[in-house]
Amino acid sequence: MASQEIETLAAALARLPGLGPRSARRAVLWLVKRRESALPALLEALATVGEALVECDTCGNVDTTNPCGICADPRRDTKSLCVVEDVADLWALDRAKLFTGRYHVLGGKLSALDGVRPEDLNIASLLARVEEGGVDEVVLAMNATLEGQTTAHYLAERLEEHPVRITQLAHGLPVGGELDYLDEGTLAQALRARRPVG
Ligand SMILES: [Zn+2]
């Protein structure tokens, strides 16, 4: 029988995306065996993340500064705004290094099943950024899932009354594909071939 401490850690790790109870338990055993070599670095990294990372008030990115490095970067094109579901998508797109504008993180996608409504997402702040002016193009970079596309359609409707060009990623994206899992070449291609919504 594992001790209570190990059970608690395994339960906490099992909540991480991609880790089930079995792999969480394996990770705990791995750490116990490397208490001196691997654990201190992990603890330090976790503490740093806990202390230093903040959410950007402007775009919702996670960084060590607020506004984040992307929002604060004067070389970024302020006319283009790329809307993504999650921070992981922002990072995936930015790794592809093709988009030179700024981002807006919705914090999820509309879902009747999970009860996610427009007011649960960062949509009001997106509309506010567009209304502020200076934005020429909004790229809707939702995942190629049913809910992602429902969200994109909803946003396109809400943005219609604003004088901006609305585009979305070309769907050479695999159906059901999530941005974070695509290789950078596929992502770059989808962004390059983006097309008007409608
Ligand atoms: Zn930001």
Side-chain angles (χ1 to χ4, degrees), residues 33-50:
K33 284 185 196 149
R34 291 163 187 78
R35 210 172 5 216
E36 272 152 38
S37 56
L39 199 52
L42 180 64
L43 287 174
E44 197 189 321
L46 284 173
T48 306
V49 164

PDB file of all heavy atoms in Angstrom, residues 33-50:
ATOM      1  N   LYS A  33      12.315   7.635  -7.055  1.00  0.00           N
ATOM      2  CA  LYS A  33      13.628   7.035  -7.302  1.00  0.00           C
ATOM      3  C   LYS A  33      14.691   8.080  -7.602  1.00  0.00           C
ATOM      4  O   LYS A  33      15.874   7.819  -7.473  1.00  0.00           O
ATOM      5  CB  LYS A  33      13.537   6.065  -8.485  1.00  0.00           C
ATOM      6  CG  LYS A  33      12.875   4.761  -8.112  1.00  0.00           C
ATOM      7  CD  LYS A  33      12.936   3.799  -9.294  1.00  0.00           C
ATOM      8  CE  LYS A  33      11.961   2.659  -9.086  1.00  0.00           C
ATOM      9  NZ  LYS A  33      11.449   2.155 -10.377  1.00  0.00           N
ATOM     10  N   ARG A  34      14.263   9.249  -8.057  1.00  0.00           N
ATOM     11  CA  ARG A  34      15.235  10.295  -8.414  1.00  0.00           C
ATOM     12  C   ARG A  34      15.057  11.514  -7.512  1.00  0.00           C
ATOM     13  O   ARG A  34      15.166  12.650  -7.949  1.00  0.00           O
ATOM     14  CB  ARG A  34      15.032  10.706  -9.870  1.00  0.00           C
ATOM     15  CG  ARG A  34      15.440   9.614 -10.834  1.00  0.00           C
ATOM     16  CD  ARG A  34      14.861   9.848 -12.208  1.00  0.00           C
ATOM     17  NE  ARG A  34      15.119   8.730 -13.092  1.00  0.00           N
ATOM     18  CZ  ARG A  34      14.434   7.582 -13.073  1.00  0.00           C
ATOM     19  NH1 ARG A  34      13.447   7.402 -12.207  1.00  0.00           N
ATOM     20  NH2 ARG A  34      14.719   6.594 -13.907  1.00  0.00           N
ATOM     21  N   ARG A  35      14.787  11.216  -6.242  1.00  0.00           N
ATOM     22  CA  ARG A  35      14.512  12.300  -5.302  1.00  0.00           C
ATOM     23  C   ARG A  35      15.621  13.333  -5.298  1.00  0.00           C
ATOM     24  O   ARG A  35      15.389  14.515  -5.156  1.00  0.00           O
ATOM     25  CB  ARG A  35      14.336  11.731  -3.897  1.00  0.00           C
ATOM     26  CG  ARG A  35      13.413  12.537  -3.050  1.00  0.00           C
ATOM     27  CD  ARG A  35      13.127  11.844  -1.744  1.00  0.00           C
ATOM     28  NE  ARG A  35      13.912  10.625  -1.600  1.00  0.00           N
ATOM     29  CZ  ARG A  35      13.465   9.542  -1.018  1.00  0.00           C
ATOM     30  NH1 ARG A  35      12.255   9.492  -0.534  1.00  0.00           N
ATOM     31  NH2 ARG A  35      14.229   8.485  -0.896  1.00  0.00           N
ATOM     32  N   GLU A  36      16.875  12.861  -5.474  1.00  0.00           N
ATOM     33  CA  GLU A  36      17.978  13.814  -5.403  1.00  0.00           C
ATOM     34  C   GLU A  36      18.339  14.424  -6.738  1.00  0.00           C
ATOM     35  O   GLU A  36      18.742  15.579  -6.811  1.00  0.00           O
ATOM     36  CB  GLU A  36      19.201  13.140  -4.783  1.00  0.00           C
ATOM     37  CG  GLU A  36      19.150  13.269  -3.274  1.00  0.00           C
ATOM     38  CD  GLU A  36      19.866  12.141  -2.577  1.00  0.00           C
ATOM     39  OE1 GLU A  36      20.914  11.704  -3.080  1.00  0.00           O
ATOM     40  OE2 GLU A  36      19.364  11.693  -1.530  1.00  0.00           O
ATOM     41  N   SER A  37      18.175  13.688  -7.819  1.00  0.00           N
ATOM     42  CA  SER A  37      18.613  14.214  -9.123  1.00  0.00           C
ATOM     43  C   SER A  37      17.537  15.044  -9.830  1.00  0.00           C
ATOM     44  O   SER A  37      17.816  16.140 -10.311  1.00  0.00           O
ATOM     45  CB  SER A  37      19.079  13.073 -10.028  1.00  0.00           C
ATOM     46  OG  SER A  37      18.050  12.111 -10.150  1.00  0.00           O
ATOM     47  N   ALA A  38      16.321  14.549  -9.874  1.00  0.00           N
ATOM     48  CA  ALA A  38      15.309  15.230 -10.699  1.00  0.00           C
ATOM     49  C   ALA A  38      14.329  16.087  -9.907  1.00  0.00           C
ATOM     50  O   ALA A  38      13.807  17.074 -10.410  1.00  0.00           O
ATOM     51  CB  ALA A  38      14.533  14.207 -11.522  1.00  0.00           C
ATOM     52  N   LEU A  39      14.075  15.716  -8.675  1.00  0.00           N
ATOM     53  CA  LEU A  39      13.024  16.398  -7.915  1.00  0.00           C
ATOM     54  C   LEU A  39      13.314  17.885  -7.636  1.00  0.00           C
ATOM     55  O   LEU A  39      12.422  18.717  -7.820  1.00  0.00           O
ATOM     56  CB  LEU A  39      12.754  15.634  -6.608  1.00  0.00           C
ATOM     57  CG  LEU A  39      11.424  15.916  -5.932  1.00  0.00           C
ATOM     58  CD1 LEU A  39      10.255  15.762  -6.884  1.00  0.00           C
ATOM     59  CD2 LEU A  39      11.241  15.007  -4.723  1.00  0.00           C
ATOM     60  N   PRO A  40      14.560  18.238  -7.224  1.00  0.00           N
ATOM     61  CA  PRO A  40      14.791  19.658  -6.932  1.00  0.00           C
ATOM     62  C   PRO A  40      14.520  20.564  -8.135  1.00  0.00           C
ATOM     63  O   PRO A  40      13.905  21.627  -7.986  1.00  0.00           O
ATOM     64  CB  PRO A  40      16.276  19.696  -6.548  1.00  0.00           C
ATOM     65  CG  PRO A  40      16.579  18.316  -6.077  1.00  0.00           C
ATOM     66  CD  PRO A  40      15.730  17.404  -6.905  1.00  0.00           C
ATOM     67  N   ALA A  41      14.945  20.134  -9.334  1.00  0.00           N
ATOM     68  CA  ALA A  41      14.737  20.963 -10.529  1.00  0.00           C
ATOM     69  C   ALA A  41      13.250  21.115 -10.815  1.00  0.00           C
ATOM     70  O   ALA A  41      12.777  22.201 -11.180  1.00  0.00           O
ATOM     71  CB  ALA A  41      15.442  20.337 -11.729  1.00  0.00           C
ATOM     72  N   LEU A  42      12.493  20.032 -10.613  1.00  0.00           N
ATOM     73  CA  LEU A  42      11.056  20.080 -10.865  1.00  0.00           C
ATOM     74  C   LEU A  42      10.364  21.005  -9.869  1.00  0.00           C
ATOM     75  O   LEU A  42       9.521  21.834 -10.229  1.00  0.00           O
ATOM     76  CB  LEU A  42      10.468  18.661 -10.782  1.00  0.00           C
ATOM     77  CG  LEU A  42       8.969  18.560 -11.027  1.00  0.00           C
ATOM     78  CD1 LEU A  42       8.612  18.981 -12.444  1.00  0.00           C
ATOM     79  CD2 LEU A  42       8.484  17.144 -10.769  1.00  0.00           C
ATOM     80  N   LEU A  43      10.761  20.881  -8.602  1.00  0.00           N
ATOM     81  CA  LEU A  43      10.163  21.740  -7.575  1.00  0.00           C
ATOM     82  C   LEU A  43      10.439  23.207  -7.864  1.00  0.00           C
ATOM     83  O   LEU A  43       9.560  24.054  -7.732  1.00  0.00           O
ATOM     84  CB  LEU A  43      10.726  21.371  -6.192  1.00  0.00           C
ATOM     85  CG  LEU A  43      10.224  20.056  -5.604  1.00  0.00           C
ATOM     86  CD1 LEU A  43      10.964  19.733  -4.312  1.00  0.00           C
ATOM     87  CD2 LEU A  43       8.718  20.124  -5.353  1.00  0.00           C
ATOM     88  N   GLU A  44      11.675  23.479  -8.281  1.00  0.00           N
ATOM     89  CA  GLU A  44      12.038  24.866  -8.564  1.00  0.00           C
ATOM     90  C   GLU A  44      11.235  25.398  -9.751  1.00  0.00           C
ATOM     91  O   GLU A  44      10.734  26.527  -9.725  1.00  0.00           O
ATOM     92  CB  GLU A  44      13.545  24.944  -8.858  1.00  0.00           C
ATOM     93  CG  GLU A  44      14.077  26.357  -8.743  1.00  0.00           C
ATOM     94  CD  GLU A  44      15.511  26.470  -9.235  1.00  0.00           C
ATOM     95  OE1 GLU A  44      16.297  25.530  -8.970  1.00  0.00           O
ATOM     96  OE2 GLU A  44      15.829  27.469  -9.888  1.00  0.00           O
ATOM     97  N   ALA A  45      11.122  24.567 -10.791  1.00  0.00           N
ATOM     98  CA  ALA A  45      10.372  24.995 -11.977  1.00  0.00           C
ATOM     99  C   ALA A  45       8.906  25.248 -11.631  1.00  0.00           C
ATOM    100  O   ALA A  45       8.306  26.224 -12.089  1.00  0.00           O
ATOM    101  CB  ALA A  45      10.496  23.946 -13.083  1.00  0.00           C
ATOM    102  N   LEU A  46       8.336  24.394 -10.797  1.00  0.00           N
ATOM    103  CA  LEU A  46       6.937  24.564 -10.391  1.00  0.00           C
ATOM    104  C   LEU A  46       6.749  25.838  -9.572  1.00  0.00           C
ATOM    105  O   LEU A  46       5.792  26.575  -9.758  1.00  0.00           O
ATOM    106  CB  LEU A  46       6.467  23.347  -9.580  1.00  0.00           C
ATOM    107  CG  LEU A  46       6.170  22.076 -10.375  1.00  0.00           C
ATOM    108  CD1 LEU A  46       5.888  20.913  -9.427  1.00  0.00           C
ATOM    109  CD2 LEU A  46       4.991  22.276 -11.309  1.00  0.00           C
ATOM    110  N   ALA A  47       7.701  26.078  -8.675  1.00  0.00           N
ATOM    111  CA  ALA A  47       7.613  27.277  -7.840  1.00  0.00           C
ATOM    112  C   ALA A  47       7.703  28.531  -8.709  1.00  0.00           C
ATOM    113  O   ALA A  47       6.952  29.496  -8.518  1.00  0.00           O
ATOM    114  CB  ALA A  47       8.718  27.274  -6.797  1.00  0.00           C
ATOM    115  N   THR A  48       8.620  28.501  -9.685  1.00  0.00           N
ATOM    116  CA  THR A  48       8.787  29.643 -10.574  1.00  0.00           C
ATOM    117  C   THR A  48       7.504  29.905 -11.351  1.00  0.00           C
ATOM    118  O   THR A  48       7.056  31.054 -11.473  1.00  0.00           O
ATOM    119  CB  THR A  48       9.943  29.391 -11.572  1.00  0.00           C
ATOM    120  OG1 THR A  48      11.096  29.049 -10.817  1.00  0.00           O
ATOM    121  CG2 THR A  48      10.221  30.614 -12.412  1.00  0.00           C
ATOM    122  N   VAL A  49       6.924  28.842 -11.866  1.00  0.00           N
ATOM    123  CA  VAL A  49       5.680  28.983 -12.603  1.00  0.00           C
ATOM    124  C   VAL A  49       4.601  29.576 -11.705  1.00  0.00           C
ATOM    125  O   VAL A  49       3.872  30.495 -12.088  1.00  0.00           O
ATOM    126  CB  VAL A  49       5.224  27.613 -13.163  1.00  0.00           C
ATOM    127  CG1 VAL A  49       3.763  27.660 -13.575  1.00  0.00           C
ATOM    128  CG2 VAL A  49       6.086  27.213 -14.353  1.00  0.00           C
ATOM    129  N   GLY A  50       4.515  29.050 -10.496  1.00  0.00           N
ATOM    130  CA  GLY A  50       3.504  29.531  -9.556  1.00  0.00           C
ATOM    131  C   GLY A  50       3.668  30.998  -9.212  1.00  0.00           C
ATOM    132  O   GLY A  50       2.689  31.721  -9.064  1.00  0.00           O
TER     133      GLY A  50
END
